[in-house]
Amino acid sequence: MSSLRDDIQNFMNDLQGLLDQHQDDQAFVDAVKEKWSNKHDFRRSFIIACQKTGGLRLLDEGGEENDDSRPNEPVGRF
């Protein structure tokens, strides 16, 4: 039985591989849809939801949503 941490790490590794292979957003999303073809797969749904909303809303260091005065960008590798 794998742990949640292992499952998340494998998902991140898969995503990083797809990101490295596909520089265009639509090509990346198409590759995700092909890799996880089941429409009810949460990994696929996560990426599609991020695409439709323009990305995730990140929290600042204090755990509060930041306003639009600061860039809302992840730090480090995804």
Side-chain angles (χ1 to χ4, degrees):
M1 181 173 167
S2 65
S3 72
L4 175 61
R5 292 178 56 82
D6 292 338
D7 291 341
I8 292 172
Q9 185 64 53
N10 289 333
F11 177 52
M12 289 179 16
N13 291 339
D14 289 342
L15 285 179
Q16 189 62 55
L18 292 174
L19 285 168
D20 292 343
Q21 294 171 13
H22 305 282
Q23 300 302 317
D24 177 70
D25 285 353
Q26 190 57 50
F28 169 70
V29 171
D30 291 343
V32 166
K33 288 179 180 179
E34 183 178 322
K35 181 165 185 66
W36 297 294
S37 59
N38 182 343
K39 290 184 179 184
H40 301 290
D41 191 315
F42 289 122
R43 297 168 294 190
R44 173 188 170 125
S45 299
F46 174 76
I47 299 303
I48 293 171
C50 290
Q51 178 193 30
K52 289 182 180 178
T53 62
L56 296 175
R57 187 75 180 148
L58 302 178
L59 302 177
D60 67 11
E61 297 80 17
E64 300 293 326
E65 281 195 24
N66 61 35
D67 58 20
D68 292 331
S69 65
R70 293 191 348 227
N72 191 10
E73 300 174 357
V75 177
R77 287 181 71 181
F78 179 73

